[in-house]
Amino acid sequence: MEVTGPKTDIWLVKTVSLLLLSVSLCFITGLLIKTDRRPLIILATACCISLASIDFYYAGKKIISPVYYVDGILQLIFLFVWIIILPRIKKQGLY
């Protein structure tokens, strides 16, 4: 909150943080276990698109801090990695 500014709904911050942590654990587990990674890639791309959309929309409306534009850009980078780079690495047999 030092970076993004004060919050009034701390419960919501904690809830979203725990949900993102849970999803992240699924990403890590999915990359470590040999399995069909398509559901993982779908979840990852959906999360990136959702979070970037929220960041850009609400920062643009000046409802949240402009620092969220940085997060939106990071989400787009993650999206690029999930849909472009990881499938290419898989074809080369590196994971």
Side-chain angles (χ1 to χ4, degrees):
M1 289 192 289
E2 290 181 22
V3 174
T4 59
K7 307 287 186 271
T8 56
D9 291 330
I10 302 303
W11 70 269
L12 183 58
V13 173
K14 291 178 181 180
T15 300
V16 171
S17 297
L18 288 173
L19 287 171
L20 290 174
L21 179 62
S22 302
V23 170
S24 298
L25 289 173
C26 289
F27 294 157
I28 293 167
T29 304
L31 290 174
L32 296 175
I33 296 173
K34 290 195 178 217
T35 185
D36 183 4
R37 291 195 173 94
R38 288 177 291 185
L40 180 69
I41 293 171
I42 292 168
L43 176 61
T45 56
C47 285
C48 291
I49 292 167
S50 299
L51 291 169
S53 298
I54 291 166
D55 290 334
F56 292 129
Y57 180 80
Y58 287 105
K61 294 274 189 181
K62 300 188 185 337
I63 295 171
I64 58 176
S65 170
V67 75
Y68 282 95
Y69 285 123
V70 174
D71 183 62
I73 291 168
L74 289 172
Q75 293 300 328
L76 294 178
I77 292 169
F78 292 148
L79 178 64
F80 177 78
V81 169
W82 279 108
I83 63 175
I84 302 296
I85 295 176
L86 284 180
R88 289 182 183 178
I89 291 172
K90 184 178 180 183
K91 283 182 184 176
Q92 295 173 359
L94 299 177
Y95 83 90

